[in-house]
């Protein structure tokens, strides 16, 4: 996946544990680990906002695009007018 999650970097800068961040954000440590390790398929904006609030950062401090790994193309739910021909 070309989106890289840099929560570890912000945790180190804030000298905060995964457990403390999970508690303060209101998600389970297991769900935070899925996000932190890049295994998440999606993240809710409310969760991203809570992470940014607790870590005092911007979304771009947590997420970055890394070229070289192709993204999956999502075509379901689009009409033929929405597709390039």
């Amino acid at each position: 996946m070309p989106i890289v999650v840099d929560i570890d970097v912000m945790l180190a800068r804030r000298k905060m544990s995964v457990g403390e961040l999970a508690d303060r954000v209101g998600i389970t440590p297991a769900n935070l680990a899925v996000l932190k390790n890049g295994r998440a398929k999606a993240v809710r904006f409310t969760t991203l906002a809570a992470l940014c609030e607790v870590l005092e950062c911007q979304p771009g401090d947590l997420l970055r695009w890394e070229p070289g790994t192709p993204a999956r193309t999502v075509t379901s739910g689009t009409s033929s007018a929405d597709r390039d021909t």
Side-chain angles (χ1 to χ4, degrees), residues 7-8 11 16-23 27-30 32-33 36:
I7 290 176
D8 282 338
L11 284 172
M16 188 180 297
S17 70
V18 172
E20 180 183 355
L21 179 60
D23 284 342
I27 61 176
T28 66
L32 182 57
K36 184 174 79 74

Side-chain angles (χ1 to χ4, degrees), residues 60-76:
D61 297 325
L62 299 176
L63 304 173
R64 64 186 161 87
W65 178 76
E66 192 169 275
T69 307
R72 288 186 348 193
T73 303
V74 178
T75 58
S76 63

Side-chain angles (χ1 to χ4, degrees), residues 32-48:
L32 182 57
V34 167
L35 180 60
K36 184 174 79 74
N37 295 322
R39 295 187 317 260
K41 301 287 184 207
V43 61
R44 293 177 188 258
F45 281 169
T46 54
T47 301
L48 183 59

